[in-house]
């Protein structure tokens, strides 16, 4: 079966199985020798460790283990080995912000164009050490096509959890604004992720799930890169957000809420969302709601840094530039306060706002703005896996887990920036990137 389902607390959520491409060819037993092993759980590092892998899964971890006869050995004894990183907020398909044609991509690029760009972005993502991602919004189900092609082994890419279209109100952040009415002969509707009121919302979610969505993402507030909406204004009522959560959970899909403004964040948390994306303007009550509900904050600090740099270089102008300069410092401050309070955090970059393949810089920013290095590593491994519903599958170098791992030079607990450059990447027991000297 492609999917396995499990009830976790309130609601029923999807857990994805190992991609099919990792099952097509049963690899021989592999033994990885690690100079230092950081397992992703927050436990103390293990020196001179060994990881025994069979058929893409970890069967033993420890020191001085017996090497099975005939095993292939991968010598990473000069490296620090960690679980494959997880990015809980990406946009792999389509053009990168600032790329030529970006502003008019909606009327120029077909879903095939977007998916083909996604092939390159997926490879860049794996080369950065990110072996699992959650893609939170794409047009024309291009992300679903990319996910399926990667699972089938046609292209190198990370394990993907996909949202298909992001849901939003007419004229809101998840709609496409700034063009003439009825550009394609009709107004945007549920086929494009635009839904207003209970009945539209139910139909829109069912439509996304019908065509392959693994997770439901919606816009609870305005955004930075949209036109005609305030970045912090709430865009769905509590009743509408509750309908999104109830319908999604009934269909075994988790819910991610794009939310910058304080009231929209709090309403989304009260409605029962699983994660808040960005979470830029938090007050004490919002932080308390995170702690009460156990919801995750996916901070996307790289996005704030990227849009600020684009304004300073003159590549982002007008209303979007004004919103970027307003929201970015607030995002950094809110993250610092949330981390200090013990809010659950999962790493997310908003890759696509900045070029793909630089995802590891998010670790650096999380440490810069208040986390300890081990906390940041957990946010990008086991915490992110838990948010995605894969907490028993990936995100930790633990017996029974899929053998996704990365190797880096140096000690990330002393210098978190070493996670920005990986030497080796293993995906489901196979070495797919090898930059060792």
């Amino acid at each position: 079966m492609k999917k396995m389902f499990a009830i976790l607390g309130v609601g029923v959520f999807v857990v994805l199985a190992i991609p099919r491409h990792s099952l097509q060819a049963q690899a021989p037993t592999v033994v990885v020798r690690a100079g230092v092993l950081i397992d992703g759980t927050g436990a103390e590092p293990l020196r001179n460790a060994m990881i025994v892998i069979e058929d893409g899964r970890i069967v033993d971890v420890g020191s001085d283990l017996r090497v099975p006869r005939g095993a292939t050995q991968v010598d990473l004894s000069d490296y620090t080995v960690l679980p494959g990183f997880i990015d809980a907020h990406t946009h792999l398909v389509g053009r990168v912000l600032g790329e030529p044609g970006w502003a008019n991509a909606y009327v120029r690029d077909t879903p095939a164009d977007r998916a083909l760009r996604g092939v390159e972005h997926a490879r860049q993502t794996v080369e950065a050490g990110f072996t699992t991602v959650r893609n939170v919004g794409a047009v024309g189900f291009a992300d679903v096509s990319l996910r399926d092609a990667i699972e089938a082994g046609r292209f190198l890419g990370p394990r993907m959890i996909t949202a298909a279209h992001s849901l939003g109100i007419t004229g809101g952040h998840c709609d496409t604004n700034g063009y003439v009415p009825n550009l394609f002969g009709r107004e945007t509707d549920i086929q494009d992720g635009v839904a207003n009121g209970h009945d539209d919302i139910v139909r829109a979610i069912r439509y996304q799930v019908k065509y392959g969505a693994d997770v439901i993402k919606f816009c609870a507030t305005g955004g930075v890169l949209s036109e005609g909406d305030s970045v912090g204004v709430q865009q769905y009522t509590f009743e509408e957000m509750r309908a999104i959560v109830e319908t999604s959970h009934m269909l075994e899909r988790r819910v991610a809420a794009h939310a910058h403004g304080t009231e929209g964040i709090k309403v989304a948390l009260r409605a029962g969302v699983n994660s808040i994306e960005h979470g830029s303007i938090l007050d004490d009550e919002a932080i308390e709601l995170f702690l009460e509900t156990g919801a995750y904050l996916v901070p996307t600090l790289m996005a704030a840094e990227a849009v600020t740099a684009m304004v300073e270089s003159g590549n982002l102008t007008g209303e979007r530039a004004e919103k970027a300069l307003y929201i970015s410092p607030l995002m950094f401050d809110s993250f610092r306060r949330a981390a200090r309070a013990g809010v659950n955090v999962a790493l997310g970059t908003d890759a696509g706002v900045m070029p793909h393949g630089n995802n590891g810089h998010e670790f650096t920013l999380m440490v810069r703005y208040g986390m300890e290095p081990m906390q940041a590593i957990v946010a990008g491994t086991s915490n992110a896996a838990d948010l995605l519903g894969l907490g028993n599958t990936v995100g930790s170098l633990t017996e029974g887990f899929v053998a996704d791992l990365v190797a880096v030079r140096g000690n990330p607990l002393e210098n978190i920036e070493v996670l920005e450059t990986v030497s080796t990447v293993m995906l489901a027991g196979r070495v797919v990137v090898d930059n060792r000297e």
Side-chain angles (χ1 to χ4, degrees):
M1 292 178 61
K2 183 179 178 183
K3 297 175 182 172
M4 300 175 288
F5 301 115
I7 297 177
L8 304 174
V10 291
V12 185
F13 310 116
V14 65
V15 179
L16 298 189
I18 308 170
R20 288 189 294 272
H21 70 71
S22 65
L23 299 177
Q24 288 178 342
Q26 297 287 319
T29 301
V30 177
V31 174
V32 175
R33 295 184 179 273
V36 177
L37 185 146
I38 297 176
D39 71 4
T41 68
E44 286 295 313
L46 180 63
R47 296 188 178 279
N48 300 317
M50 298 171 64
I51 307 167
V52 182
I53 301 164
E54 292 182 1
D55 298 331
R57 285 188 179 267
I58 298 169
V59 296
D60 205 357
V61 180
S63 299
D64 300 322
L65 300 178
R66 183 182 65 82
V67 177
R69 172 180 263 177
T72 298
Q73 297 195 48
V74 179
D75 185 9
L76 300 175
S77 56
D78 291 331
Y79 298 83
T80 299
V81 175
L82 307 96
F85 305 143
I86 301 173
D87 191 335
H89 192 118
T90 66
H91 298 281
L92 290 187
V93 303
R95 299 178 191 242
V96 174
L97 176 65
E99 181 182 338
W102 171 83
N104 294 315
Y106 184 79
V107 296
R108 293 185 180 277
D109 292 352
T110 68
D113 293 326
R114 297 182 175 95
L116 287 171
R117 282 190 168 87
V119 171
E120 179 182 11
H121 299 157
R123 177 185 54 77
Q124 293 167 334
T125 301
V126 167
E127 289 175 347
F130 284 78
T131 55
T132 301
V133 302
R134 185 178 59 164
N135 203 76
V136 283
V139 175
F141 298 96
D143 58 340
V144 174
S145 297
L146 179 63
R147 177 202 66 194
D148 291 348
I150 291 171
E151 286 188 353
R154 297 189 184 99
F155 306 109
L156 175 63
R159 184 177 295 100
M160 289 181 66
I161 290 183
T162 56
H165 299 92
S166 298
L167 304 186
I169 64 168
T170 297
H173 180 62
C174 286
D175 197 359
T176 302
N177 301 332
Y179 297 100
V180 299
N182 302 313
L183 183 66
F184 296 112
R186 63 174 178 83
E187 188 55 86
T188 49
D189 59 18
I190 67 160
Q191 296 180 55
D192 312 290
V194 178
N196 305 284
H198 179 277
D199 290 350
D200 262 9
I201 285 167
V202 173
R203 291 173 60 231
I205 292 171
R206 291 172 178 171
Y207 183 83
Q208 306 310 310
V209 172
K210 175 181 179 179
Y211 292 107
D214 304 309
V215 62
I216 299 301
K217 186 267 189 88
F218 76 97
C219 289
T221 76
V224 172
L225 298 177
S226 49
E227 296 180 319
D229 63 331
S230 169
V231 66
V233 70
Q234 182 179 329
Q235 293 191 345
Y236 270 121
T237 67
F238 170 80
E239 290 75 19
E240 288 173 316
M241 292 192 208
R242 189 62 193 156
I244 292 171
V245 171
E246 289 181 344
T247 304
S248 301
H249 286 180
M250 184 184 300
L251 296 174
E252 302 179 326
R253 300 299 188 272
R254 296 190 176 196
V255 180
H258 158 106
H260 286 290
T262 311
E263 289 307 310
I265 291 168
K266 292 191 286 191
V267 172
L269 289 168
R270 293 188 185 106
V273 300
N274 300 101
S275 66
I276 296 290
E277 313 300 304
H278 315 301
S280 302
I281 313 175
L282 301 179
D283 62 11
D284 291 343
E285 185 182 18
I287 289 174
E288 188 60 34
L289 282 168
F290 270 108
L291 298 175
E292 288 177 6
T293 61
Y296 275 88
L297 171 65
V298 182
T300 65
L301 303 177
M302 283 183 69
E305 183 183 69
V307 294
T308 300
M310 291 193 70
V311 174
E312 293 172 348
S313 68
N315 290 322
L316 196 64
T317 60
E319 179 186 5
R320 290 166 173 156
E322 293 174 6
K323 291 195 285 186
L325 293 179
Y326 167 70
I327 210 69
S328 295
L330 298 175
M331 182 185 290
F332 295 139
D333 182 64
S334 289
F335 173 75
R336 183 182 287 110
R337 296 177 61 225
R340 186 184 308 127
V343 170
N344 289 331
V345 175
L347 182 148
T349 64
D350 216 352
V353 171
M354 75 294 298
H356 301 272
N358 301 312
N359 311 57
H361 184 55
E362 188 75 15
F363 288 112
T364 300
L365 294 181
M366 288 194 292
V367 171
R368 181 180 302 171
Y369 291 104
M371 274 190 161
E372 294 297 323
M374 184 63 86
Q375 291 176 310
I377 290 169
V378 169
T381 54
S382 59
N383 268 14
D386 180 62
L387 169 61
L388 272 56
L390 298 173
N392 294 319
T393 306
V394 295
S396 173
L397 298 179
T398 302
E399 183 179 340
F401 280 54
V402 175
D404 290 355
L405 60 85
V406 300
V408 299
R409 282 282 191 185
N411 183 354
L413 300 181
E414 295 178 355
N415 177 14
I416 195 68
E417 292 185 19
V418 303
L419 300 184
E420 297 189 25
T421 305
V422 302
S423 297
T424 303
V425 181
M426 180 175 280
L427 184 60
R430 297 183 301 146
V431 174
V432 295
V433 176
D434 193 356
N435 295 321
R436 286 174 291 175
E437 296 175 1

